[in-house]
Amino acid sequence: MKNVLLATTLTTIALNACAATEPAKAEAVAATAAPLSVANAAPLRLAPNQPLPATITQLTIIDRELGDPKADVVVNGSPTLVHYTGWLYDATASDGKGVQFDTSRTRVAPFSFIVGVGKVIKGWDQGVVGMRIQGK
């Protein structure tokens, strides 16, 4: 019999750049990508000072830093560069961060992907939408 470990993760994403500043370019990218299905509940959005829930049952988004107010907002189809750190969720920690399991901070370049095309974990495609450059 195989044992299966299901771990909830908390990922901190710092948005470095959003290159899709031209709507036509973003629309062209979005047109070539299959849209993601929205079968789960809408993400839970928390303010920076709100306490974290004891258990995570849905995507939870916390805008810790809003980023540059003059920068474009990330939309589906936006090419992005992000630095991230992945943590196992720890409900007993005030920030929810337990054991770190991955980070891009030790690599030469940030991680790049196009938002909303399903090439990254679903939470990233959903959670990065609405961010701005320098947001966390």
Side-chain angles (χ1 to χ4, degrees):
M1 181 183 341
K2 291 185 178 180
N3 289 332
V4 178
L5 174 64
L6 177 61
T8 302
T9 59
L10 174 69
T11 303
T12 302
I13 299 174
L15 191 65
N16 291 323
C18 173
T21 56
E22 299 173 29
K25 194 182 286 183
E27 288 172 16
V29 171
T32 62
L36 295 177
S37 64
V38 183
N40 296 337
L44 172 64
R45 190 169 290 273
L46 298 177
N49 297 330
Q50 277 186 278
L52 295 173
T55 59
I56 301 291
T57 58
Q58 67 195 85
L59 176 63
T60 302
I61 300 170
I62 304 169
D63 285 318
R64 299 201 185 273
E65 293 178 26
L66 296 178
D68 182 355
K70 296 177 185 173
D72 290 337
V73 173
V74 175
V75 296
N76 280 329
S78 296
T80 61
L81 293 171
V82 298
H83 268 301
Y84 68 91
T85 303
W87 309 85
L88 294 180
Y89 184 62
D90 181 353
T92 63
S94 63
D95 61 0
K97 295 177 183 176
V99 176
Q100 178 182 315
F101 63 86
D102 191 17
T103 186
S104 66
R105 295 284 181 183
T106 58
R107 299 188 185 115
V108 175
F111 181 71
S112 65
F113 68 101
I114 297 174
V115 177
V117 300
K119 298 295 183 180
V120 293
I121 61 173
K122 190 174 181 179
W124 280 27
D125 273 334
Q126 294 172 330
V128 173
V129 169
M131 289 183 74
R132 297 177 187 269
I133 294 172
Q134 300 302 317
K136 289 187 179 179

